[in-house]
Amino acid sequence: MREHHTPLSAAAPVAEPFRHASVLLDGAVDALVHAPDGVYLDGTFGRGGHSRAVLQRLGPGGRLLAMDRDPQALDAAAELEDARFTITRRAFAELGEFAREQGVHGRLAGVLLDIGVSSPQLDDPERGFSFMRDGPLDMRMDPTRGESAADFLARASEADIAHVFKAYGEERFAKRLARAVVTRRKQAPFTRTVELAEVLKTAHPAWEKGRHPATKAFQGLRIYLNGELDQLDAALDAALEALAPGGHLVVISFHSLEDRRVKRFIRHHVRGDTHVPRGMPLRDDQLNRRLEGLGKAQKASDAEVADNPRSRSAVMRAARKLGA
């Protein structure tokens, strides 16, 4: 029976004014669902596109667990009436804990992680993720927890701001942009997204064609404030332990920082113990190989990119857990 582990703000269907297209929908579900009566976990429910597609593939004995830390995602899940579906409000790094609570740890047939911010989060100016629409400078996935972007920029040192822009946004002019932020905040604190975007745009010395000059700095702030890379590392480790032997791990990422981590994680567990002398005859379990890759990385088709330009940077990787 579908349960909500945290109260929802509304039990009735929620109006959704923002268009959301799930990226790599068919490819992800094809890679994930291999046993119709298995138990699956969608670690990033978002607005439910992948979850709905998974439920369509499941048989009567199948189950789908879902998670999201965004309260608006839980509101959207209230529309999904299916006895095979259970959702909880928490970060996907806690998926192992959720699986244990549901009695399926080590028995999951598949885990799906669709990393990053969703289109409704970007398009809603009140969430503060986008530099294209004016809104409060927030950027938190869960607006009830942690530090907002405005609070961080008000108290952080110039060096710390530059580090966030560089390490998490891969912005090569991070120091210059951080200096502009600190100079501007002496006049008044940043409270709105467009205020910050204008300062970054003015300070940026080399605009890339087709890319707003604030893009990377905004990305860096969002990733840092939400602990997205640490969350991803923890979720990958937890997913491997929660999967049953033969279970599938499917991860969709949207920028190089995420994809490098996913690629490195899968490669490490596909290779196993690399300190064993070359040519020594050992079984997979002796090498501690825990995964095998499921094909090459997939990217969105030209048709999908034309329909949803945000899918251009998406990369999907999939692997199967080894073991009897």
Side-chain angles (χ1 to χ4, degrees):
M1 182 176 181
R2 182 168 62 89
E3 301 172 358
H4 290 292
H5 295 262
T6 55
L8 295 181
S9 61
V14 177
E16 179 59 86
F18 308 108
R19 178 178 182 271
H20 177 61
S22 297
V23 175
L24 292 165
L25 180 63
D26 291 336
V29 177
D30 288 344
L32 181 73
V33 180
H34 59 96
D37 289 325
V39 182
Y40 295 85
L41 189 149
D42 181 352
T44 47
F45 180 82
R47 295 304 180 265
H50 288 110
S51 281
R52 288 178 172 84
V54 169
L55 286 167
Q56 290 176 358
R57 303 281 187 95
L58 295 186
R63 288 181 64 195
L64 176 62
L65 310 179
M67 310 173 64
D68 208 295
R69 56 176 163 171
D70 184 346
Q72 291 184 357
L74 273 289
D75 288 347
E79 299 178 5
L80 211 170
E81 296 292 340
D82 192 311
R84 301 167 299 170
F85 178 69
T86 303
I87 189 166
T88 187
R89 180 180 169 186
R90 67 184 83 181
F92 60 70
E94 302 171 48
L95 69 87
E97 176 185 328
F98 184 33
R100 287 188 181 91
E101 291 172 1
Q102 296 296 312
V104 294
H105 192 267
R107 295 171 44 204
L108 291 175
V111 173
L112 171 66
L113 301 173
D114 183 3
I115 310 302
V117 65
S118 69
S119 292
Q121 288 171 324
L122 282 171
D123 293 338
D124 183 354
E126 293 304 308
R127 302 302 300 273
F129 287 109
S130 176
F131 44 78
M132 300 302 291
R133 295 172 175 83
D134 188 31
L137 191 57
D138 195 311
M139 296 193 190
R140 290 171 294 175
M141 297 286 191
D142 181 348
T144 67
R145 297 182 181 182
E147 185 177 37
S148 70
D151 290 340
F152 171 74
L153 292 176
R155 61 91 183 160
S157 68
E158 181 178 322
D160 286 344
I161 295 171
H163 172 74
V164 167
F165 289 170
K166 177 69 173 178
Y168 300 104
E170 299 181 298
E171 172 56 70
R172 64 190 178 110
F173 297 104
K175 290 183 178 180
R176 181 168 181 158
L177 299 188
R179 190 176 309 118
V181 167
V182 171
T183 300
R184 160 62 172 73
R185 79 180 182 192
K186 292 177 182 177
Q187 303 170 20
F190 288 96
T191 61
R192 310 292 294 182
T193 53
V194 169
E195 291 174 352
L196 176 61
E198 285 299 315
V199 169
L200 295 172
K201 183 173 71 172
T202 301
H204 206 292
W207 295 14
E208 297 179 43
K209 184 178 181 180
R211 185 192 289 265
H212 193 288
T215 299
K216 293 182 178 180
F218 266 67
Q219 172 188 292
L221 279 170
R222 191 203 79 223
I223 291 173
Y224 167 75
L225 291 168
N226 292 289
E228 292 179 35
L229 298 183
D230 290 340
Q231 288 278 328
L232 175 58
D233 290 340
L236 291 171
D237 288 334
L240 183 56
E241 299 304 322
L243 284 168
H248 291 192
L249 172 65
V250 179
V251 187
I252 302 171
S253 57
F254 287 84
H255 59 75
S256 59
L257 288 175
E258 296 167 342
D259 184 54
R260 282 199 295 267
R261 277 172 152 76
V262 177
K263 181 179 180 180
R264 185 169 61 240
F265 177 85
I266 292 176
R267 182 174 59 197
H268 170 73
H269 288 290
V270 166
R271 290 179 176 177
D273 189 350
T274 57
H275 299 293
V276 176
R278 185 184 297 272
M280 180 175 290
L282 293 174
R283 301 187 307 272
D284 283 343
D285 60 332
Q286 292 174 309
L287 282 169
N288 198 30
R289 293 183 62 233
R290 305 192 67 191
L291 291 173
E292 64 176 347
L294 292 175
K296 297 181 179 179
Q298 293 186 30
K299 296 188 176 183
S301 66
D302 291 342
E304 182 172 2
V305 171
D307 181 61
N308 179 16
R310 286 172 180 159
S311 69
R312 182 180 291 107
S313 60
V315 179
M316 187 190 81
R317 299 184 186 272
R320 178 188 294 113
K321 184 175 178 178
L322 298 173

